């Protein structure tokens, strides 16, 4: 896949380029500020843009704003927001439109190379990758604590992984259970949260996130 | 969890960041309707420049200052004579008995007591009529022998100023009052002249050198009366009330010296508190870095060094060491992240208290309801102080008080930010012992704010803070 990287820390930018190139991906541009990010995306139309939140020119949330405008202009470009901190508020703003091809991860996650590359590929393919910390913040902040408390611990685990954007198969692998068991848990979760049970894939993630954010 | 206050910025209602940013200054520019009215009024009057002058001349009528000033001057005709009578009687008695000093003492004591009591009444009366908040002059409070006390009182300037005030005020205040009401009366009389002039027995009104009969002269007198009534009398009244207020402030209030001395004292305290707080914070950061991330990086470098040594001879062992080094590096990252967030969370500057505290609340193991009603963001220093008050109070509630629920309310009332952190824990928090709360108090004081901790043993605990947001 073709990737544009926007990250102002030179060491990390170089490291990301090397890591992704070694993983067999094609990094078409690596820039250091939000303005050049939008220009690079316009020029290359990559499959994925990896975007740091805090970048020049303002050094506040420039990357996030650039990501949101890229989403509006070129919706088929996957966006992986990559940040020193994850903030529920930023996640909410980022996920306001749709969750297709959106990721939001802590920079620390790059330490687990294979998981990071898998998350990047998932986002480039139109999937979702939310940091477990984002999901736990969203879960803690939802006004509907009662239904959450009705979930069993296992169901809560499944809900978190679902919100992070993993497929049934990936959830099953991580929890070392069968996909059938995962499907059963998911059906229970949707029933307990009063959500329509027919949702699949990204629409399912979206349903869960919107439910948390209502 | 009733968290309606923070739930408004969910994806459904918050379209984009850029919109939010664009909207804020726009709203600020439009929000005060008074400003807008003034602006349009100025525009319409540019060609005709007398209108603002007339507006200024009539300004006393537009506020409630005028009736309040009249009230002050009217009550001045009677009320000050009461303390005057008492004071003069006591002064006379004291002077008469001065030869036999011990006999005069109780009367001098009584004089000061009376002066102090009426001083209090007078300050609140002037405050009610003019809005001038005259502070207590701060009389010397002394202990020791009665002789020492009497001497201190006798030497106290503020006490004698009060006595002087009560001895002089009724005389000139009554004069001012009489003059004012004569002015009003005369103005009203002149205004009625065009109507009544013809009905006088002599056919005209004799006013000193002028003899005003019906017709033109009556109308001229009426016009003069109207000007007096509408412009001169109100301004005179306000001026006299202001003079009255100034005298009261000078004699009953703390002198300018005393006021400045107090201000300097409070600024000195808050400044040294701010310096102390900054120093403590630097030490804490140094300690945290030294104990945390630095140690982990040392361990990491060591592990990697060992792995390098073993690489040729024992690849499996080297792999294990690298794995542990990897974990060490991740832990160091996570610790650094927490530390940096503790110094200043980036989201606080970007999105304000609500967003920053939402994240704190989300990380907290105890259920918390958070309500933030802050439409206009306060200055950064205030936001940051508020943030740290809440996080520290939360930490206390969770770590020391074993709280089961916490409620956080933050609201902006005009130029003040008010916040309360309430928990149902075991209470007994004492700022004079706990360094955390003490540090917060210093931080709040440095900003000119105010903090109170209500924490009876057995709970519940409330931390109340008020911070000024003025520029």
């Amino acid at each position: 896949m073709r990737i544009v990287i926007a990250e102002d820390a030179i060491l990390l930018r170089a490291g990301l380029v090397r890591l992704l190139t070694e993983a067999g991906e094609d990094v078409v541009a690596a820039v250091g500020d939000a303005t050049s990010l939008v220009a690079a995306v316009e020029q290359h139309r990559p499959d994925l843009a990896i975007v740091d939140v805090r970048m020049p020119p303002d050094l506040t949330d420039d990357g996030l704003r650039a990501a949101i405008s890229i989403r509006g202009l070129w919706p088929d470009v996957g966006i992986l927001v990559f940040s020193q901190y994850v903030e529920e508020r930023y996640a909410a703003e980022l996920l306001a439109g749709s969750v297709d091809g959106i990721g939001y991860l802590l920079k620390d996650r790059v330490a687990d190379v294979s998981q990071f590359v898998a998350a990047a590929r998932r986002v480039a393919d139109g999937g979702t990758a939310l940091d477990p910390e984002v999901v736990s913040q969203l879960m803690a902040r939802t006004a509907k604590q009662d239904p959450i408390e009705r979930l069993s611990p296992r169901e809560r685990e499944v809900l978190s992984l679902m919100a992070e954007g993993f497929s049934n198969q990936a959830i099953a692998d991580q929890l070392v259970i069968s996909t059938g068991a995962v499907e059963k848990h998911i059906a229970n979760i949707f029933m307990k949260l009063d959500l329509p049970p027919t949702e699949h894939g990204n629409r399912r993630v979206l349903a869960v996130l919107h439910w948390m954010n209502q | 969890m009733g968290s309606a206050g923070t739930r408004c910025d969910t994806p459904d209602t918050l379209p984009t960041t850029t919109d939010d940013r664009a909207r804020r200054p726009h709203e600020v520019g439009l929000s005060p309707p008074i400003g807008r009215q003034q602006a349009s009024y100025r525009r319409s009057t540019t060609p005709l420049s007398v209108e603002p002058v007339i507006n200024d001349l009539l300004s006393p009528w537009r506020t409630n200052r005028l009736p309040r000033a009249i009230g002050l001057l009217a009550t001045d005709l009677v009320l000050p004579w009461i303390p005057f009578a008492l004071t003069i009687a006591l002064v006379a008695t004291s002077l008469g008995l001065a030869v036999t000093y011990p006999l005069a003492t109780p009367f001098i004591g009584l004089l000061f007591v009376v002066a102090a009591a009426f001083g209090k009444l007078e300050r609140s009366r002037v405050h009610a009529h003019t809005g001038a908040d005259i502070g207590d002059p701060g009389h010397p409070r002394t202990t020791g022998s009665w002789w020492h006390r009497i001497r201190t009182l006798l030497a106290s300037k503020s006490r004698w100023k009060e006595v002087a005030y009560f001895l002089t005020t009724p005389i000139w205040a009554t004069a001012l009052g009489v003059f004012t009401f004569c002015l009003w009366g005369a103005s009203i009389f002149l205004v009625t002249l065009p109507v009544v002039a013809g009905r006088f027995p002599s056919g005209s009104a004799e006013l000193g050198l002028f003899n005003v009969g019906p017709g033109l002269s009556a109308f001229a007198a009426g016009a003069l009366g109207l000007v007096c009534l509408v412009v001169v009398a109100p301004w005179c009244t306000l001026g006299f009330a202001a003079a009255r207020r100034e005298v009261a402030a000078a004699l009953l209030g703390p002198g300018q010296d005393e006021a400045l001395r107090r201000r300097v004292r409070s600024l000195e305290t808050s400044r040294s508190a701010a310096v102390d707080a900054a120093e403590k914070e630097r030490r804490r950061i140094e300690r945290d870095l030294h104990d945390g991330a630095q140690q982990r990086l040392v361990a990491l470098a060591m592990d990697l060094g060992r792995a390098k040594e073993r690489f040729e001879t024992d690849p499996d062992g080297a792999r294990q060491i690298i794995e542990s080094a990897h974990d060490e590096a991740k832990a160091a990252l996570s610790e650094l992240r927490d530390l940096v967030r503790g110094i200043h969370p980036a989201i606080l500057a970007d999105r304000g208290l609500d967003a920053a505290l939402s994240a704190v609340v989300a990380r907290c193991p105890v259920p918390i309801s958070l309500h933030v009603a802050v439409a206009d963001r306060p200055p950064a220093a205030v936001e940051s102080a508020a943030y740290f008050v809440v996080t520290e109070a939360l930490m206390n509630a969770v770590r020391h008080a074993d709280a089961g629920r916490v409620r956080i309310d933050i609201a902006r009332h005009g130029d003040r930010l008010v916040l309360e952190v309430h928990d149902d824990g075991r209470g007994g928090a004492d700022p004079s012992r706990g360094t955390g709360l003490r540090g917060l108090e210093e931080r709040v004081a440095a900003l000119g704010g105010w903090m109170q901790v209500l924490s009876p043993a057995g709970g519940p605990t409330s931390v109340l803070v008020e911070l000024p947001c003025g520029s």
Side-chain angles (χ1 to χ4, degrees):
Chain A
M1 61 185 165
R2 301 168 65 250
I3 302 175
V4 166
I5 295 173
E7 162 65 60
D8 63 329
I10 296 165
L11 267 179
L12 185 55
R13 187 165 72 218
L16 276 176
V17 172
R18 198 167 56 209
L19 187 155
L20 289 164
T21 313
E22 279 171 7
E25 308 299 346
D26 178 16
V27 178
V28 290
V31 298
D33 65 85
T35 337
S36 2
L37 164 67
V38 178
V41 170
E42 182 170 22
Q43 191 194 334
H44 299 288
R45 300 294 170 81
D47 302 308
L48 178 70
I50 297 181
V51 183
D52 184 15
V53 170
R54 182 142 92 169
M55 271 197 298
D58 294 341
L59 282 173
T60 58
D61 59 344
D62 306 65
L64 187 74
R65 280 179 280 146
I68 290 170
S69 63
I70 289 171
R71 175 106 297 215
L73 291 168
W74 305 285
D76 48 335
V77 176
I79 291 175
L80 178 58
V81 172
F82 192 52
S83 169
Q84 203 71 64
Y85 312 98
V86 297
E87 300 287 357
E88 172 231 357
R89 185 60 53 89
Y90 288 164
E93 289 170 14
L94 195 64
L95 300 169
S98 82
V99 294
D100 297 354
I102 289 278
Y104 186 17
L105 292 181
L106 266 180
K107 279 188 183 171
D108 298 16
R109 306 297 174 218
V110 78
D112 291 310
V113 179
S114 56
Q115 280 184 32
F116 173 71
V117 173
R121 286 185 181 140
R122 201 158 78 226
V123 173
D125 290 342
T128 312
L130 288 188
D131 200 276
E133 204 162 308
V134 179
V135 175
S136 70
Q137 284 191 28
L138 287 171
M139 287 243 260
R141 288 294 297 133
T142 175
K144 300 172 187 167
Q145 281 302 307
D146 295 347
I148 291 265
E149 274 161 23
R150 278 206 298 273
L151 299 179
S152 70
R154 192 53 137 190
E155 285 163 357
R156 244 174 279 175
E157 265 178 303
V158 172
L159 176 65
S160 297
L161 291 170
M162 204 159 69
E164 281 169 39
F166 288 108
S167 64
N168 288 9
Q169 185 60 55
I171 296 174
D173 291 348
Q174 287 200 33
L175 298 180
V176 203
I177 50 177
S178 70
T179 44
V182 171
E183 274 159 26
K184 218 181 82 206
H185 284 310
I186 291 177
N188 280 342
I189 292 168
F190 274 64
M191 195 185 66
K192 287 184 183 173
L193 302 188
D194 262 344
L195 284 168
T198 50
E199 308 280 13
H200 289 290
N202 284 339
R203 294 195 42 79
R204 191 180 70 180
V205 177
L206 189 68
V208 170
L209 291 176
H210 270 228
W211 178 86
M212 285 181 185
N213 258 308
Q214 265 160 21
Chain B
M1 294 242 312
S3 46
T6 57
R7 304 256 29 109
C8 53
D9 284 352
T10 54
D12 314 76
T13 52
L14 199 98
T16 62
T17 337
T18 37
D19 258 25
D20 190 34
R21 291 188 159 235
R23 202 165 56 227
R24 200 168 289 136
H26 178 64
E27 279 175 354
V28 169
L30 284 182
S31 57
I34 300 163
R36 215 165 49 180
Q37 275 167 6
Q38 280 173 347
S40 63
Y41 147 74
R42 272 196 210 101
R43 266 201 303 280
S44 70
T45 54
T46 3
L48 203 73
S49 58
V50 288
E51 205 172 309
V53 177
I54 292 177
N55 252 306
D56 283 349
L57 282 177
L58 294 181
S59 61
W61 293 96
R62 278 201 297 271
T63 62
N64 67 346
R65 282 192 306 156
L66 189 58
R68 284 162 80 188
I70 292 175
L72 177 66
L73 294 174
T75 48
D76 266 355
L77 294 176
V78 182
L79 291 182
W81 292 103
I82 302 167
F84 175 79
L86 275 168
T87 316
I88 207 156
L90 286 167
V91 168
T93 319
S94 311
L95 283 179
L97 294 174
V99 202
T100 56
Y101 187 81
L103 279 181
T105 333
F107 291 97
I108 295 177
L110 194 58
L111 173 69
F112 287 141
V113 170
V114 166
F118 278 101
K120 214 173 196 172
L121 284 175
E122 192 67 8
R123 275 192 290 272
S124 62
R125 193 166 73 90
V126 172
H127 175 63
H129 285 289
T130 64
D133 199 358
I134 304 170
D136 192 278
H139 303 298
R141 289 183 208 293
T142 52
T143 53
S145 67
W146 61 269
W147 171 240
H148 178 70
R149 270 185 268 179
I150 291 280
R151 266 199 5 206
T152 330
L153 277 179
L154 282 175
S156 141
K157 242 201 231 161
S158 58
R159 281 286 180 236
W160 287 113
K161 269 159 63 180
E162 271 177 353
V163 172
Y165 176 85
F166 289 116
L167 287 180
T168 52
T169 311
I171 301 162
W172 61 269
T174 307
L176 283 185
V178 169
F179 180 83
T180 312
F181 291 109
C182 286
L183 185 63
W184 283 96
S187 309
I188 293 168
F189 173 70
L190 285 178
V191 169
T192 57
L193 260 191
V195 183
V196 301
R199 301 190 191 159
F200 285 99
S202 60
S204 65
E206 281 176 37
L207 301 171
L209 295 176
F210 301 95
N211 196 350
V212 182
L216 200 60
S217 58
F219 279 103
L224 180 69
L226 194 64
V227 171
C228 278
L229 184 65
V230 174
V231 179
V232 180
W235 278 105
C236 263
T237 311
L238 287 186
F240 290 161
R244 181 75 185 70
R245 183 189 67 212
E246 287 310 311
V247 173
L251 291 179
L252 294 182
Q256 211 172 10
D257 283 0
E258 180 55 29
L260 283 175
R261 218 171 292 138
R262 280 186 205 179
R263 179 93 186 113
V264 166
R265 258 202 303 275
S266 98
L267 284 176
E268 264 173 1
T269 320
S270 65
R271 190 192 58 176
S272 73
V275 172
D276 282 356
E279 183 59 26
K280 265 183 214 151
E281 188 67 7
R282 280 158 52 96
R283 278 164 202 259
R284 187 187 67 79
I285 293 166
E286 186 272 334
R287 210 171 44 233
D288 285 359
L289 276 173
H290 178 265
D291 296 349
Q294 209 171 11
Q295 303 304 321
R296 290 206 182 276
L297 287 175
V298 169
L300 170 65
M302 205 172 64
D303 279 353
L304 286 176
R306 281 169 58 218
K308 201 168 96 183
E309 294 293 313
R310 288 199 192 184
F311 209 71
E312 298 297 327
T313 53
D314 179 13
D316 277 346
R319 182 193 303 277
Q320 270 177 15
I321 295 170
I322 288 174
E323 254 165 41
S324 99
H326 193 199
D327 290 343
E328 204 73 54
K330 285 191 279 187
L333 275 177
S334 152
E335 254 172 39
L336 269 177
R337 193 172 59 235
D338 288 347
L339 177 65
V340 173
R341 172 186 276 282
I343 297 169
H344 186 88
I347 190 152
L348 181 61
D350 291 355
R351 289 289 188 283
L353 276 173
D354 189 6
L357 288 176
S358 293
V360 172
V361 164
R363 265 183 274 271
C364 192
V366 174
I368 298 170
S369 76
L370 170 69
H371 298 265
V372 182
V374 182
D376 286 337
R377 284 184 60 182
V382 173
E383 267 189 343
S384 142
Y387 175 85
F388 285 105
V389 167
V390 172
T391 48
E392 181 73 32
L394 260 184
M395 209 165 74
N396 279 341
V398 175
R399 271 199 203 155
H400 306 304
D402 259 340
R405 289 201 87 82
V406 181
R407 196 188 72 231
I408 303 170
D409 286 299
I410 304 182
R412 179 157 183 182
H413 298 293
D415 62 347
R416 307 194 80 73
L417 187 74
V418 182
L419 60 98
E420 179 183 3
V421 181
H422 181 94
D423 73 68
D424 63 355
R426 71 165 81 96
D430 184 0
S432 61
R433 280 184 297 149
T435 51
L437 285 172
R438 177 105 206 91
L440 287 185
E441 247 179 5
E442 284 166 2
R443 195 159 182 161
V444 168
L447 289 167
W450 164 94
M451 167 167 159
Q452 192 171 23
V453 179
L454 301 171
S455 184
T461 300
S462 265
V463 177
L464 296 158
V465 173
E466 202 179 287
L467 290 162
C469 311
S471 48

